């Protein structure tokens, strides 16, 4: 049987291999400066941090270690958001991988976990939106420099996620019991065919539901909304089955325009981990 | 910096991603019953055994553990031969990853290492040739049942490899100081472009040099020789640069005919590990 840390690493690899995943690196597409190999190395590098979480380390330090390892490649940020979902899921799997247990896991995070989360931003450049005025001192881009302010306000990592919710659907998972991650796992299990096809179908269904928050951050809300509308039309038409070339064309178009729905990929990776861990999918 | 175990796992992933690799699973090709995902899971599963080798465990037990983990997927044997090269290389890297040190590492193997090697065959089906008559009692397909005979003859794992040489180019690496693996690393470093292209070029150059022993075992010597002749003609014409479609056609043809030069892929993976470990290539 594969360990939880192994399943989490494999989830990262299966996520990047799944194709077509419109706008993102997949088995058949690279971006200009971000290649398949960077994701392979990112997944391998994250393993030690994932092992820490599986061994019972606190969420923040395990996450920081995973990000530090992930960043040991030349592509930059490959799996920061995915790890922010996977680390608490792996930690929860020590007890039971269920929504209540992972909810308790994130609610129990401390100010120390928040500090480690801020330090993680020193290992890699992550695309984030400007914070609201009252949170400027806590801009994650300040990295460890923000820690005294964090401590003064007594904010835990859960608190930080709670304040990041509008505009960050990874943070939203933290405060909503990983709803979409567990839903993604169910879809992966219910889908047909090889895992790569299931991954593509699940990714597209997630993208069709909610505008991708990374796209909104890097471009704007209208762009994110139009991508989701297009994904929804493809899902509505069951295009992966009936007109796969339309999905491939969508994938090419997004890559050409530099539009990468990375948050949707993060949730897909979390769903893959849950499905592997529950033995609901098999490799 | 990536650990040796991490580099070895990454070498397995980069090997399978490299394309075109005529006859083998690569980023763009699956075989009928053996898919890209099986290789991803095989690499993840091997990690614990690779960690054992990096931590100083004996070569045989670390190899058995790596194979056991690799086999935790439904595709069957994905990376048995590659691990038989990687485990002693990872073990040697504790001291220094050089030909003399890896030579000493394999020469120091014991009867206990040989016993673990035989047990590894119980975890997965491996294509092997019939042994010569005086070695029938030591047919690896007997698995652990052959261990008393092994002990009676006092054969170390190095001795077993030494007796397997004609017809097994993984064993040949063991008794020739990993010559081709180190040569592959030099070619990977000297080649141009992204790692996937360097991997493809190195694979083709290795295939052009010597008939693949897995092809000879599964088919016959003549088939293996004709594959090598065709690879040699493509290398001679610098086809990866001048006529890439000819190499793609060769790849498709071998896949269609079920001809998989797996031993050449094993040596390529070993070369990738050495090049990563020496920081001669970068991801």
């Amino acid at each position: 049987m594969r360990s939880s840390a192994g399943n989490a690493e494999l989830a990262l690899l299966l996520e990047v291999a799944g194709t077509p995943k419109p706008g993102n690196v997949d088995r058949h597409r690279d971006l200009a400066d971000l290649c398949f190999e960077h994701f392979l190395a990112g997944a391998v590098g994250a393993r030690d941090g994932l092992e820490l979480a599986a061994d019972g380390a606190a969420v923040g330090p395990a996450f920081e270690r995973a990000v530090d390892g992930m960043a040991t490649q030349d592509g930059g940020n490959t799996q920061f958001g995915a790890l922010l979902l996977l680390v608490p899921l792996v930690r929860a799997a020590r007890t039971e991988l269920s929504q209540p247990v992972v909810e308790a896991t994130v609610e129990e995070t401390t100010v120390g976990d928040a500090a480690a989360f801020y330090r993680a931003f020193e290992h890699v450049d992550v695309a984030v939106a400007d914070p609201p005025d009252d949170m400027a001192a806590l801009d994650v881009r300040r990295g460890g420099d923000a820690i005294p302010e964090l401590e003064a306000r007594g904010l835990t990592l859960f608190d930080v996620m709670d304040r990041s919710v509008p505009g960050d659907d990874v943070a939203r998972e933290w405060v909503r019991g990983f709803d979409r991650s567990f839903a993604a796992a169910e879809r992966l299990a219910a889908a047909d065919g090889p895992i790569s096809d299931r991954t593509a179908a699940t990714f597209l269904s997630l993208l069709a539901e909610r505008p991708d928050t990374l796209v909104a951050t890097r471009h704007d809300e209208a762009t994110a909304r139009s991508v989701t509308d297009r994904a929804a039309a493809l899902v509505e038409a069951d295009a992966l089955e009936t007109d796969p070339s339309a999905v491939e064309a969508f994938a090419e178009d997004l890559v050409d325009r530099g539009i990468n729905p990375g948050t949707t990929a993060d949730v897909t990776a979390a769903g893959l981990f849950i499905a592997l861990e529950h033995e609901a999918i098999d490799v």
Side-chain angles (χ1 to χ4, degrees), chain A:
Chain A
M1 225 185 85
R2 212 174 290 115
S3 67
S4 289
N7 273 333
E9 190 198 349
L10 183 57
L12 294 172
L13 294 169
L14 294 173
E15 188 283 311
V16 74
T19 184
K21 279 199 329 295
N24 289 329
V25 172
D26 66 19
R27 188 169 169 188
H28 297 145
R29 282 168 198 85
D30 289 328
L31 306 182
D33 299 315
L34 194 56
C35 302
F36 197 67
E37 285 78 7
H38 295 135
F39 282 81
L40 300 181
V44 169
R47 175 74 169 249
D48 287 345
L50 294 165
E51 297 277 5
L52 282 183
D55 290 346
V59 167
F63 174 73
E64 188 194 351
R65 174 73 165 273
V67 168
D68 190 17
M70 173 210 79
T72 310
Q73 36 81 23
D74 299 333
N77 179 20
T78 46
Q79 292 126 330
F80 187 97
L83 291 170
L84 193 49
L85 298 176
L86 288 172
V87 167
L89 288 167
V90 168
R91 187 69 178 72
R94 283 172 61 83
T95 310
E96 178 191 84
L97 186 52
S98 65
Q99 288 192 256
V101 173
V102 72
E103 250 179 310
T105 301
V106 296
E107 280 169 8
E108 284 161 13
T109 56
T110 63
V111 177
D113 290 314
F117 172 73
Y118 272 74
R119 280 193 301 270
F121 284 88
E122 297 178 3
H123 301 302
V124 63
D125 277 330
V126 181
V128 291
D130 291 325
D133 284 348
D134 65 326
M135 292 281 284
L138 287 169
D139 189 331
V140 288
R141 289 166 292 196
R142 297 186 65 211
D145 292 343
I147 293 176
E149 182 68 21
L150 204 57
E151 289 171 343
R153 299 201 200 178
L155 295 176
T156 70
L157 182 49
F158 182 81
D159 295 332
V160 171
M161 290 294 130
D162 190 40
R163 281 159 178 72
S164 309
V165 168
D168 181 350
D169 273 2
V170 168
R172 189 170 177 270
E173 286 295 281
W174 270 60
V175 301
R176 296 227 181 174
F178 289 67
D179 250 351
R180 298 180 83 208
S181 301
F182 279 85
E186 285 181 19
R187 286 178 213 171
L188 286 159
D192 289 322
I195 290 191
S196 171
D197 293 356
R198 294 169 187 243
T199 300
T202 300
F203 175 89
L204 195 65
S205 75
L206 291 167
L207 187 58
E209 269 168 17
R210 287 180 59 83
D212 188 278
T213 50
L214 183 67
V215 174
T217 299
R218 285 215 186 133
H219 303 268
D220 51 49
E221 293 281 349
T223 305
R225 164 60 59 193
S226 78
V227 166
T228 276
D229 289 347
R230 215 166 140 194
L234 290 166
V235 168
E236 175 69 27
D238 196 16
L240 280 165
E241 287 296 321
T242 61
D243 187 10
S245 64
V247 188
E248 297 286 348
F250 181 39
E252 295 299 334
D253 179 49
L254 291 191
V255 168
D256 289 348
R257 291 162 62 201
I259 296 174
N260 321 120
T263 305
T264 308
D266 297 337
V267 177
T268 305
L272 281 161
F273 170 68
I274 295 164
L276 286 168
E277 196 72 10
H278 287 167
E279 300 182 22
I281 57 172
D282 234 12
V283 183

